Amino acid sequence: MIGWLKGQRIDIWEQSLKIGIVLNCAGVGYEIQIIPRYLSKISSVVEVTLWIHHVKREDGETLFGFGTKPERDLFRKLIAVNGVGPQMAISLLEEVQVEDLIAAINQEDIHTLTKAQGIGKRTAERLTVELRHKLDDMNCLANQTKSVEQSQTQEVSLKSPNSNDLREALRTLGYEDIEI
């Protein structure tokens, strides 16, 4: 299984509502579907680092790329819910930021969940019922990511065990080393 990729962006592709990139990693071009809001961030960056969810099926394999590990982990929890596939999960993550999505599920905020394309009231209710007690461990990770994004001008201590992950996520989002 592929869990993480770092390489040069060589192409951007669109297929109906799906958007992705081709990433050159050691001479191999990986097609990776990304959340559409990443396109503006990735299009100006040559070297891209993504956390990957790899799906193998009878008819082919698909790679889904995420800027942060908590986002990828939330994606995995979303697709574990009966009736929620990868495209629905991508739609949710496109519409709502990770920390807000976790809060919406925990608070049973059906209105926020139904903003995403393809998510109806029943699916939103199913998400809240099946995931509300499974996202407690993700709250602190999402809050860490949010606090780093909000404090762009403040100095952030990067001496934690996850500092490399955090640095790579910020680079993927387009931050320069001096900003990190």
Side-chain angles (χ1 to χ4, degrees), residues 33-175:
Q33 183 177 346
I34 59 173
I35 297 172
R37 68 180 148 84
Y38 283 161
L39 191 56
S40 62
K41 295 173 185 174
I42 289 179
S43 61
S44 62
V45 178
V46 176
E47 187 170 85
V48 179
T49 303
L50 294 171
W51 287 93
I52 303 296
H53 178 73
H54 187 176
V55 176
K56 287 186 175 187
R57 295 202 173 132
E58 293 175 7
D59 59 344
E61 298 183 30
T62 307
L63 300 177
F64 296 93
F66 305 93
T68 64
K69 188 176 182 212
E71 195 167 44
R72 185 209 46 195
D73 294 345
L74 180 57
F75 174 83
R76 288 178 171 171
K77 290 185 185 272
L78 290 171
I79 63 174
V81 174
N82 188 25
V84 178
Q87 298 311 316
M88 226 181 253
I90 290 283
S91 177
L92 274 166
L93 290 167
E94 166 69 12
E95 189 65 37
V96 186
Q97 295 290 330
V98 173
E99 57 279 348
D100 296 332
L101 185 54
I102 292 170
I105 291 169
N106 285 335
Q107 297 167 4
E108 300 181 29
D109 184 358
I110 303 300
H111 177 69
T112 299
L113 297 173
T114 55
K115 287 181 184 177
Q117 182 178 352
I119 304 293
K121 185 178 177 187
R122 287 184 187 204
T123 304
E125 288 171 349
R126 190 176 313 121
L127 282 166
T128 61
V129 168
E130 290 189 32
L131 292 180
R132 93 180 93 171
H133 299 295
K134 296 179 182 178
L135 298 179
D136 294 334
D137 59 331
M138 295 198 66
N139 274 328
C140 64
L141 288 173
N143 288 335
Q144 285 175 352
T145 303
K146 183 178 185 178
S147 66
V148 168
E149 289 173 356
Q150 288 178 344
S151 61
Q152 294 175 10
T153 58
Q154 296 176 357
E155 186 175 320
V156 178
S157 173
L158 295 177
K159 298 186 191 259
S160 69
N162 295 327
S163 65
N164 289 336
D165 298 343
L166 182 58
R167 271 194 198 97
E168 291 303 322
L170 290 170
R171 281 191 192 112
T172 300
L173 294 172
Y175 292 99

